[in-house]
């Protein structure tokens, strides 16, 4: 759809459960997750010819796919045998590689724009917090960056790499916020009942997110970083988990 919610085109027909659509950096395809018969499927949909293909299938639950900035791989969260770890999936060879290896629940991975770092959410410390892994170092031990009260989730790096957006849950309230990659200068931009899943505007000046008032009422909103003005993005049905295409490829 357009950025104001107009001209909606449905890419799936509703005959199966689908989740977390993500644009490829090229803007000509998306990936999404589908579940059937106890397996998780990563589906690639070509937006030019409207064809679909299964990239990979997994036992257990796959969630939170994210393309690498170069478009050659995906970061995914895989839950199996009581563990939830982050994997990278090479789109050419279809081989997977474990990035995290622990009994903690690690999810919502996102590359930095230069692809040198990854931010993710994990309960390694006992509560859900944000962590960074530096791929340029041999020791890829996660470094915690969130230290405020409450839980942190769904981190997403800004297009120019200067900020990380996140969801925060504290005392039953939900917030959308931003912080620098080192965890400093945390700012909360929006507060509401179950607001989550931030998605950066391509210019980095604002964030879209999901707001769920009830199980039957979920809408998309946007908030700008400076004035913190909020705007609803009108859709004819409930909507969740927005993602943006590359600005140069929007027609």
């Amino acid at each position: 759809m357009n950025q104001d919610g107009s001209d909606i085109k449905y890419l799936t027909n509703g005959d199966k459960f689908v989740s977390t659509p993500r644009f490829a950096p090229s803007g000509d395809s998306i990936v999404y997750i589908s579940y059937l018969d106890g397996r998780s499927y990563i589906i690639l949909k070509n937006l030019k010819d409207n064809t679909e293909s299964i990239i990979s299938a997994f036992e257990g639950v796959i969630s939170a796919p994210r393309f690498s900035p170069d478009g050659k791989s995906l970061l995914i969260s895989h839950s199996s045998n009581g563990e939830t770890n982050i994997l990278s999936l090479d789109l050419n060879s279809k081989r997977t590689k474990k990035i995290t290896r622990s009994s903690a629940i690690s999810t919502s991975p996102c590359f930095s724009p230069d692809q040198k770092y990854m931010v993710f959410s994990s309960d390694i410390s006992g509560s859900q917090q944000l962590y960074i892994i530096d791929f340029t170092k041999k020791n890829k031990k996660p470094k915690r960056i969130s230290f405020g009260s409450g839980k942190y989730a769904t981190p997403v790096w800004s297009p120019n790499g200067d900020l990380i957006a996140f969801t925060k849950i504290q005392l039953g309230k939900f917030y959308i916020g931003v912080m620098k990659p080192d965890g400093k200068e945390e700012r909360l931009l929006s507060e509401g009942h179950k607001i989550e899943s931030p998605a950066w505007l391509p210019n980095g000046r604002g964030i879209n997110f999901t707001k769920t008032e009830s199980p039957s009422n979920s809408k998309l909103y946007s908030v700008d970083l400076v004035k913190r003005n909020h705007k609803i993005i009108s859709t004819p049905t409930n909507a969740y988990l927005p993602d943006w295409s590359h600005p140069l490829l929007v027609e």
Side-chain angles (χ1 to χ4, degrees), residues 161-233:
D162 63 333
L163 292 170
I164 292 171
F166 57 85
T167 302
K168 185 174 183 177
I169 307 101
Q170 183 180 6
L171 298 175
K173 294 183 178 180
F174 285 71
Y175 304 86
I176 298 295
V178 294
M179 66 173 65
K180 289 190 173 183
D182 60 5
K184 296 179 180 178
E185 299 184 24
E186 178 180 321
R187 289 184 288 144
L188 299 180
L189 305 175
S190 187
E191 175 186 346
H193 177 72
K194 201 172 183 182
I195 59 174
E196 57 188 341
S197 304
W200 285 95
L201 275 66
N203 61 15
R205 298 174 183 173
I207 294 169
N208 285 359
F209 60 90
T210 304
K211 182 177 183 180
T212 304
E213 296 289 356
S214 70
S216 60
N217 183 7
S218 182
K219 300 295 181 182
L220 302 183
Y221 283 78
S222 65
V223 59
D224 70 88
L225 265 64
V226 178
K227 296 183 179 180
R228 303 186 186 183
N229 292 326
H230 288 70
K231 181 180 179 181
I232 188 171
I233 302 171

Side-chain angles (χ1 to χ4, degrees), residues 53-68:
S53 58
I54 297 175
I55 295 177
S56 193
F58 293 83
E59 297 295 336
V61 177
I62 286 289
S63 61
R66 289 276 183 191
F67 276 97
S68 60

Side-chain angles (χ1 to χ4, degrees), residues 24-26 67-74 90-91 111-115:
S26 62
F67 276 97
S68 60
D70 63 11
K72 295 180 179 180
S73 64
L74 288 175
D90 185 281
L91 293 175
F111 277 112
S112 60
D114 61 11
Q115 211 163 311

Side-chain angles (χ1 to χ4, degrees), residues 28-82:
D28 60 4
S29 61
I30 63 168
V31 293
Y32 66 89
I33 304 297
S34 185
Y35 305 100
L36 183 67
D37 299 329
R39 303 193 81 188
S40 301
Y41 296 86
I42 302 176
I43 311 295
L44 177 71
K45 187 175 187 72
N46 187 310
L47 301 181
K48 292 182 177 179
D49 60 17
N50 210 35
T51 57
E52 291 187 345
S53 58
I54 297 175
I55 295 177
S56 193
F58 293 83
E59 297 295 336
V61 177
I62 286 289
S63 61
R66 289 276 183 191
F67 276 97
S68 60
D70 63 11
K72 295 180 179 180
S73 64
L74 288 175
L75 291 174
I76 53 179
S77 178
H78 182 217
S79 299
S80 180
N81 299 320

